[in-house]
Amino acid sequence: MGSPWKGFVEFTLPASPPTAFVSADLSSTSPVGLSLSPYGRSMSFDPGMLHSNGHTAYANGTGPGIREIGVVEKLLTSYGFIQCSERQARLFFHCSQYNGNLQELKIGDDVEFELSSDRRTGKPIAVKLLKIKPEVLPEERISGQVVSSIPMHLDGKSAPGQVPTGSVCYERNGEVFYLTYTPDDVEGNLHLDTGDKVSFYMDTNKHTGAVSARNIQLVKKKQMRCQGVVCATKEAFGFIERADVVKEIFFHYSEFKGDLEALQAGDDVEFTIKDRNGKEVATDVRLLPQGTVIFEDISIEQFEGTVVKVIPKVPTKNQNDPLPGRISARIGFTDKELPFGEKDTKSKVTLLEGDHIQFNISTDRRDKLERATNIDIYPDTFDFTKETREMGVIAAIRDGFGFIKCVDRDARMFFHFSEVLEESQLHISDEVEFTVVPVGPLYNLFAKDMLSAQRNHAVRIKKLPKGTVSFHTQSEQRFVGVVEKELVATSNKNTSPTRGKEKETEEGTIAYEDCGVKLTVPFHAKDLEGGGLPQAGDKVEFSINEVKRTGLQSAVSIRVLNRNSSNTKRLHGFVATLKDNFGFIETANHDQEIFFHYSEMCGDLENLELGDTVEYTLSKGKGNKVSAEKVTKVAAVNGIGDDVVATVMMGKVIRPLRSVDPSQTEYQGLIEVAEEGGVKGQNYPFGIMGMANKADCLQKGELVKFQVCTVTQTAQKMACNVVPQRRAMVECVKDQFGFITYEVGESKKLFFHVKEVQDGLELQTGDEVEFSVVLNQRTGKCSACNVRRVSEGPKPVATPRPDRLVNRLKSITLDDASAPRLVIVRQPRGPDNSKGFNVERKTRQPGVID
């Protein structure tokens, strides 16, 4: 409202008022009493003139003044303005008109005054002011509820350009009343939400008469729906990790609204908090979609750091810190020490102080606590920890743990799969590097009944390339000596090569000189080079091998230089049959087979295959039975002969090899020519070296293609490059294997694996195929290999679904409780309780027997 005194100029009362007065326009004197102060550009009143000549105490100068009530709105040094309470008017008053101590008059005080008018202008003014003492009434706090909270900006500040308001309500005599409030009316600088219970005083605006709430206090927050994650489940109750504060809250299963059987630790839930017996409990617990509740924010950037404190394997009784580990890192330009817990490492590999690691930073949304997570060890960490690393070879693997044969220790070292770095799959004979630490109670549990005397275990296991680990040191110098004691084989003829490949022999002895000192060194059959066992008096050349762990020496890489005397003649032959612990050798003439026991094999039996060329010595045992001894694998020689006829003939097997039919007396098989390319009905013998595929199992009556060659030693004509011509129908295919309608021995069908199918085709029942039959010499079972599809069988016609089933499927909806449900009983796991298998699965080569 504008002042009724237009053009009024603020003035002061001088210390010595002049006697001459001029009007407000400074051109003539005025009876009102305005004058120009000689001390400056200001106006002043003459109180005497104001009371007597300036105006009267009547509104129109005819009667007594009207008393009104108002509020001091503005107060300056010598004048002010009053806002009338009973009408919309703003009146000027001079401080000389106040009846009382001017120092006690303040803006907002209630005053009583008379209405007068200025004689010169006729404008109303207030005179004879009297301060009204406010009536102190006892105030009562009113209980109510927030019905509309104060709107806030996104940045937390009030909306610009206006004072934000909210509203509360209260009830009186069955009626509900609403009051407004501002942020200044709320005690404690709290933000009230709709539904909060509050108490307040009522306040009346003296200018407008509007009633509002003030001194608002929060009595009780509205019961909000909280969120969290189930962290533990017991028999009849559980606990929830809250998402709003770092705290767990109890809940009873009766408060869970859903399928209790499906509830498990880690599920996201929402709930309401209630107070029962003085304790907070969660009620009305309901499931939320997985991933709804988020406790922390994880940085995208990865940081480097160093482990300065590890988590103890066995927690102490006084350890209450859930994040006992510590990592030191430089983040930005600040050195920080971040905590971490057991679940913050990517793997279960043991951390050591000084480890060089990389990690992310996790910030808890509830208390802003930062910690290191996704901790992973750098490959170069062993340069920082300065730990003692040892090497060894995997000796045994069990379900979840294993043992290592150490280079520098006698005892085998226990390890758990969780300690393997880089998530590499370990197998027996793998070479590894590791650290030895004292064993903990967890590992004793695994090692029970295995090696009870274990005191240490291997951790931080790293797989090494083949050939890195060596249990021995071999001299570069070659020595020359004389065999002093021969190798003597034991009489145990029942040793199976599948159980122990090294034959049992007593070690021999070699005498030699080194720097003029006569020495002896033992040697073993596995360390011989070339064919034949050295005999006493033979001159040999060798290297010396020393076991790192024990320091024991032995001769290795032994090569016979010359014999002391003439020895039994060495013969050549070809491996024709390999059984469980013995085999047969086809003679150089390809017409007979010679028995040999695996204990007579010099060298690694694992590398021995059908068709290999060997050197042997004949000996007679009990009953004058001839057998081969001192069998040694040598470089391959020509299989049958050089004179091979180019013509390819068709024939029929009229007699298989004796390895296929042990009941026959002849070793050789026999093929009858069955086409015009040769003399029909002419027969040609064949042996193992005449087979194109040495593992193929030719049956009597099978059609074959072959060529004819001449044996150099005997000039005998024999069949060579024999390839069977088999065709049959696929009977069935089941996932990774199937059966072919083909008679082998007593079986009416032949097994095959899908890996044996050429070109990676998927065979179907009824397909016509060509194939080879291989005989597993050790098991005696036949199977098909090199399977090739010749023609496709008839395509199976899909049987239409019954109308009853189609109608049933159409009627099922996702919300149908009676609809079929797929229930996962357990997740697929391998033998080591993890995905995959311990045994390495190699690609099967067609035609090759494992």
Side-chain angles (χ1 to χ4, degrees), residues 253-523:
Y253 286 166
S254 60
E255 293 291 346
F256 180 70
K257 311 301 181 184
D259 184 7
L260 191 59
E261 295 294 331
L263 183 66
Q264 59 185 355
D267 285 345
D268 293 355
V269 293
E270 66 172 359
F271 54 92
T272 302
I273 299 177
K274 287 189 178 180
D275 192 303
R276 290 180 180 172
N277 299 327
K279 293 183 179 180
E280 289 185 337
V281 298
T283 61
D284 191 20
V285 182
R286 299 177 185 272
L287 279 176
L288 291 174
Q290 200 70 17
T292 302
V293 181
I294 301 176
F295 289 102
E296 56 194 15
D297 298 311
I298 299 177
S299 67
I300 299 176
E301 181 183 359
Q302 286 193 320
F303 303 91
E304 291 186 27
T306 304
V307 177
V308 295
K309 182 182 177 183
V310 299
I311 301 174
K313 287 290 184 183
V314 182
T316 59
K317 294 182 179 179
N318 298 326
Q319 180 180 325
N320 297 320
D321 188 0
L323 304 173
R326 294 292 182 271
I327 289 174
S328 175
R330 187 167 184 80
I331 301 173
F333 300 98
T334 307
D335 291 330
K336 284 189 176 183
E337 188 171 278
L338 300 171
F340 69 93
E342 291 184 358
K343 297 181 179 180
D344 290 319
T345 55
K346 278 191 174 181
S347 65
K348 297 299 181 182
V349 175
T350 300
L351 289 178
L352 297 180
E353 291 184 5
D355 266 337
H356 185 207
I357 50 95
Q358 65 177 358
F359 61 93
N360 298 94
I361 295 180
S362 171
T363 305
D364 197 309
R365 291 185 175 183
R366 299 168 293 180
D367 57 2
K368 305 304 179 184
L369 174 67
E370 290 185 339
R371 78 174 199 278
T373 189
N374 296 333
I375 300 170
D376 198 13
I377 299 176
Y378 274 112
D380 65 348
T381 187
F382 306 113
D383 299 333
F384 293 84
T385 57
K386 298 180 180 179
E387 60 195 286
T388 302
R389 300 287 286 174
E390 298 186 20
M391 292 191 291
V393 175
I394 303 297
I397 290 180
R398 302 289 185 267
D399 187 11
F401 63 95
F403 293 89
I404 300 173
K405 181 182 178 183
C406 305
V407 171
D408 302 319
R409 298 172 185 262
D410 292 331
R412 294 192 302 173
M413 192 64 61
F414 171 87
F415 75 93
H416 195 267
F417 285 169
S418 62
E419 291 290 348
V420 180
L421 292 169
E422 302 172 357
E423 299 183 357
S424 54
Q425 190 76 18
L426 291 183
H427 306 90
I428 293 177
S429 299
D430 280 348
E431 300 175 14
V432 292
E433 182 185 62
F434 55 92
T435 301
V436 177
V437 297
V439 73
L442 174 63
Y443 295 92
N444 277 330
L445 178 63
F446 283 111
K448 188 183 297 182
D449 300 331
M450 294 299 299
L451 288 177
S452 58
Q454 285 289 329
R455 296 182 180 178
N456 299 313
H457 66 269
V459 298
R460 302 156 68 85
I461 300 168
K462 180 181 179 182
K463 190 174 180 180
L464 299 175
K466 286 289 185 182
T468 304
V469 177
S470 174
F471 290 86
H472 313 85
T473 56
Q474 185 170 325
S475 65
E476 296 181 0
Q477 180 184 357
R478 296 285 288 177
F479 298 88
V480 176
V482 177
V483 176
E484 191 175 79
K485 179 184 176 183
E486 297 181 11
L487 292 170
V488 180
T490 59
S491 59
N492 183 11
K493 298 292 183 180
N494 296 322
T495 303
S496 172
T498 59
R499 298 179 182 176
K501 298 295 185 285
E502 297 180 3
K503 64 179 184 176
E504 298 179 5
T505 60
E506 293 182 5
E507 63 184 18
T509 306
I510 298 174
Y512 70 103
E513 286 189 6
D514 186 16
C515 300
V517 180
K518 292 184 178 181
L519 302 170
T520 60
V521 63
F523 71 96

Side-chain angles (χ1 to χ4, degrees), residues 1 79 99 197 229 287 312 460 471 660 715 744 767 786 801:
M1 180 186 298
Y79 69 95
N99 185 13
K197 301 293 184 182
V229 174
L287 279 176
R460 302 156 68 85
F471 290 86
V660 177
V744 180
D767 288 350
N786 298 327
R801 290 179 173 178

Side-chain angles (χ1 to χ4, degrees), residues 589-844:
N589 295 335
H590 311 288
D591 56 352
Q592 293 182 359
E593 60 179 358
I594 305 297
F595 170 88
F596 76 99
H597 194 272
Y598 289 158
S599 61
E600 294 292 343
M601 182 67 195
C602 300
D604 190 1
L605 190 61
E606 284 289 336
N607 298 326
L608 195 63
E609 296 179 356
L610 294 175
D612 283 349
T613 305
V614 294
E615 190 181 58
Y616 62 96
T617 302
L618 288 178
S619 68
K620 291 186 178 181
K622 294 181 180 180
N624 289 329
K625 290 184 178 180
V626 178
S627 64
E629 63 179 16
K630 301 178 183 179
V631 182
T632 307
K633 183 177 177 180
V634 295
V637 297
N638 292 335
I640 296 183
D642 297 329
D643 186 13
V644 179
V645 179
T647 305
V648 178
M649 295 185 286
M650 289 292 294
K652 180 180 180 181
V653 177
I654 59 176
R655 186 178 70 204
L657 291 174
R658 200 164 91 176
S659 59
V660 177
D661 184 8
S663 63
Q664 66 188 34
T665 58
E666 297 85 357
Y667 161 70
Q668 291 179 319
L670 205 60
I671 297 176
E672 181 183 34
V673 177
E675 67 168 13
E676 297 179 358
V679 181
K680 189 171 183 179
Q682 185 175 358
N683 298 335
Y684 291 97
F686 69 95
I688 190 67
M689 299 306 294
M691 303 285 296
N693 181 4
K694 306 298 187 292
D696 209 336
C697 181
L698 287 180
Q699 303 288 323
K700 183 178 179 180
E702 285 192 313
L703 295 178
V704 294
K705 287 182 179 181
F706 67 97
Q707 294 172 281
V708 177
C709 67
T710 303
V711 179
T712 305
Q713 296 89 336
T714 63
Q716 181 185 14
K717 292 187 179 296
M718 296 185 65
C720 65
N721 299 329
V722 180
V723 179
Q725 302 296 301
R726 303 185 181 95
R727 286 195 179 188
M729 308 297 289
V730 176
E731 182 180 275
C732 63
V733 179
K734 300 178 180 179
D735 194 17
Q736 296 297 312
F737 63 92
F739 292 93
I740 299 172
T741 306
Y742 186 78
E743 184 175 351
V744 180
E746 298 179 357
S747 176
K748 299 294 183 181
K749 53 187 178 180
L750 184 65
F751 170 89
F752 73 93
H753 196 278
V754 294
K755 290 183 178 180
E756 294 292 347
V757 181
Q758 296 182 359
D759 301 326
L761 298 176
E762 293 186 6
L763 297 181
Q764 304 290 335
T765 300
D767 288 350
E768 186 179 15
V769 293
E770 288 183 348
F771 54 92
S772 298
V773 178
V774 293
L775 173 66
N776 189 318
Q777 300 280 358
R778 296 191 174 106
T779 63
K781 294 183 179 180
C782 293
S783 62
C785 68
N786 298 327
V787 181
R788 185 176 67 87
R789 185 169 66 186
V790 178
S791 62
E792 295 187 32
K795 296 292 183 181
V797 180
T799 305
R801 290 179 173 178
D803 293 339
R804 177 181 56 81
L805 177 59
V806 173
N807 294 333
R808 169 61 176 157
L809 292 176
K810 287 182 178 179
S811 64
I812 293 177
T813 64
L814 294 178
D815 299 329
D816 190 355
S818 62
R821 291 290 186 270
L822 179 64
V823 179
I824 299 177
V825 178
R826 67 175 179 85
Q827 294 293 341
R829 292 186 179 277
D832 60 349
N833 203 28
S834 64
K835 293 184 179 179
F837 295 85
N838 277 335
V839 181
E840 182 180 3
R841 307 196 70 174
K842 300 179 180 178
T843 304
R844 167 114 170 115

